[in-house]
Amino acid sequence: MNTPLKTAIVGYGSVAEKMHAPLITVCPDLELVAVVERNSNKSKEKYPTVTIYRSLEELLEKSEVDLVVITTPNTFHFPMAKQCLEAGKHVVVDKPVTIYSHEAEELQVLAKKTGKVCSVFHNRRFDGDIMTIQKLIQEGILGDLVYLESHFDRFRPELSGNWREEAGPGNGITYDLGSHLIDQVVMIFGAPDAIQADIQKQRKGAMADDHFDIVMHYENFKARVTAGVLVNAPTPKYLLLGQNGSYLKFGMDVQEQAFKEGIKPEGTDWGVEPEENWGKIFLKSETKSYPSVPGDYRIYYSNVADAILNDSPLNVTIPQTISVLKMIEASFQSSKEQRTISKAEGKW
């Protein structure tokens, strides 16, 4: 029986507190033993046994952790992940893995050189709705597919002052939510042949992008991923069109709200969506609800632990996230130059 991997979280903001820490503590192969907080002891409120360090340097010097989870603002992802790998630690980085794809490529080389696991927290691969779409596609109910539309819309007309809304590389909604939506499409359909994007700052006074509309072109298929913060009307989460019919889904995966409410990710009913929220399939002869697959972010950390302890294949690898970063970079180029960027030019 394996001893649980000693795990540390670097940064204890909202995402670390409400999502990463609970997921780590319910994973039997992980033990949360340390948190890096620069100025406070907030993690002690929920996890009194953790040791608090004031810097990553202090953690690496004084602690014997096996796995370091980096949940800091994006600008710190690369230098901190590099520092941890060089110190012989396994690493999980919150998405996006780095700001620039060449930085992620450096981490890939370093992880291979040190023989350490380096993965990226693309938790939304385990959203119930995208898992439902995967099941729907496998069953072939809609026939040959022609179009997927994926939304992540919210109504937040006021600027929050969050670091993601500040001017600077790696900030803004495209790096934040675009990385999830692009990754989901690539997970199912592979890399697109070309990308065409429109990225904007729509709110008054916005310093970072707060809207994107990205079209991913494939042979005989097109995927559109879009998100905005001035959407105060219902838009579909997913619309999938095929030769035999369509699938339409409203509403977000239930896990994020559960985390916000402080519900511990335990039990068989975790991630189960109420039947009234299920999507519908529209076929030639009938329209009916299609049961949602339960979402389960717990899969992510279980897989990371399994990769470290048993050398199992990683679900989320650095090469995959490098491709997503290159598509984000191509999206900004496409928007700026108002043209389509091909796969050969974008090199994803």
Side-chain angles (χ1 to χ4, degrees):
M1 190 172 182
N2 292 312
T3 304
L5 296 161
K6 291 183 172 63
T7 305
I9 296 177
V10 181
Y12 197 69
S14 178
V15 174
E17 177 188 359
K18 291 182 168 60
M19 193 173 293
H20 285 276
L23 287 170
I24 290 166
T25 54
V26 299
C27 180
D29 291 321
L30 300 179
E31 180 186 3
L32 182 61
V33 299
V35 176
V36 174
E37 293 187 66
R38 282 185 301 178
N39 303 311
S40 66
N41 302 315
K42 193 175 181 185
S43 57
K44 283 273 190 186
E45 296 171 13
K46 290 184 180 178
Y47 309 102
T49 62
V50 300
T51 302
I52 292 178
Y53 297 93
R54 295 306 181 198
S55 68
L56 177 59
E57 289 75 15
E58 186 186 10
L59 170 76
L60 295 176
E61 179 186 344
K62 297 181 180 179
S63 175
E64 295 183 358
V65 296
D66 305 298
L67 171 65
V68 180
V69 178
I70 299 167
T71 68
T72 56
N74 297 347
T75 49
F76 299 105
H77 286 188
F78 171 64
M80 286 185 166
K82 182 179 179 182
Q83 198 173 345
C84 292
L85 287 169
E86 289 175 338
K89 309 300 182 185
H90 301 286
V91 178
V92 164
V93 191
D94 210 340
K95 57 81 211 163
V97 54
T98 55
I99 293 174
Y100 303 107
S101 58
H102 66 84
E103 294 174 331
E105 288 169 337
E106 189 174 333
L107 291 183
Q108 180 187 354
V109 171
L110 189 55
K112 189 173 182 180
K113 180 181 175 182
T114 58
K116 297 300 176 182
V117 165
C118 185
S119 184
V120 184
F121 190 62
H122 271 294
N123 59 305
R124 290 198 175 275
R125 290 190 184 188
F126 309 104
D127 274 355
D129 40 30
I130 199 67
M131 294 168 77
T132 301
I133 282 179
Q134 287 177 285
K135 181 173 181 283
L136 190 59
I137 292 171
Q138 288 166 0
E139 292 174 349
I141 294 172
L142 302 183
D144 291 338
L145 303 173
V146 296
Y147 180 71
L148 172 69
E149 189 170 304
S150 171
H151 287 253
F152 204 124
D153 295 324
R154 298 177 290 195
F155 188 61
R156 296 181 178 175
E158 307 299 329
L159 299 174
S160 69
N162 186 285
W163 62 264
R164 289 185 177 86
E165 296 184 349
E166 296 173 358
N171 294 349
I173 198 172
T174 309
Y175 271 89
D176 183 24
L177 301 180
S179 59
H180 280 311
L181 301 192
I182 292 171
D183 179 71
Q184 288 177 339
V185 172
V186 174
M187 173 181 68
I188 298 175
F189 299 102
D193 299 321
I195 280 177
Q196 187 176 6
D198 177 33
I199 300 172
Q200 298 180 15
K201 300 171 187 171
Q202 292 187 332
R203 289 175 297 182
K204 293 177 181 178
M207 295 181 287
D209 56 285
D210 56 12
H211 167 84
F212 65 81
D213 197 330
I214 300 170
V215 177
M216 304 166 71
H217 295 277
Y218 298 80
E219 185 178 1
N220 302 320
F221 180 78
K222 182 170 76 171
R224 175 187 173 221
V225 298
T226 180
V229 292
L230 290 178
V231 185
N232 199 23
T235 55
K237 184 69 183 77
Y238 291 103
L239 173 65
L240 182 63
L241 309 182
Q243 299 289 347
N244 297 340
S246 306
Y247 171 74
L248 182 66
K249 173 72 170 66
F250 289 88
M252 299 294 295
D253 176 272
V254 297
Q255 294 177 90
E256 185 172 356
Q257 185 58 38
F259 280 117
K260 287 178 179 177
E261 293 173 6
I263 300 171
K264 204 168 183 181
E266 293 180 314
T268 55
D269 59 348
W270 175 260
V272 174
E273 188 174 59
E275 188 171 342
E276 60 266 24
N277 292 358
W278 290 355
K280 290 185 177 180
I281 51 175
F282 299 81
L283 305 174
K284 292 176 183 177
S285 57
E286 62 175 339
T287 297
K288 60 181 180 179
S289 292
Y290 187 82
S292 293
V293 174
D296 196 349
Y297 296 169
R298 297 172 296 190
I299 295 170
Y300 177 82
Y301 273 111
S302 293
N303 171 252
V304 168
D306 207 24
I308 295 170
L309 294 168
N310 305 313
D311 203 28
S312 299
L314 270 178
N315 284 332
V316 184
T317 68
I318 292 293
Q320 293 166 354
T321 58
I322 290 170
S323 293
V324 170
L325 271 180
K326 288 185 174 180
M327 291 174 208
I328 290 174
E329 290 167 345
S331 296
F332 277 97
Q333 182 182 356
S334 170
S335 182
K336 182 180 179 182
E337 299 175 5
Q338 296 187 331
R339 67 183 182 91
T340 300
I341 306 295
S342 69
K343 182 179 180 180
E345 185 180 357
K347 297 178 182 175
W348 53 75

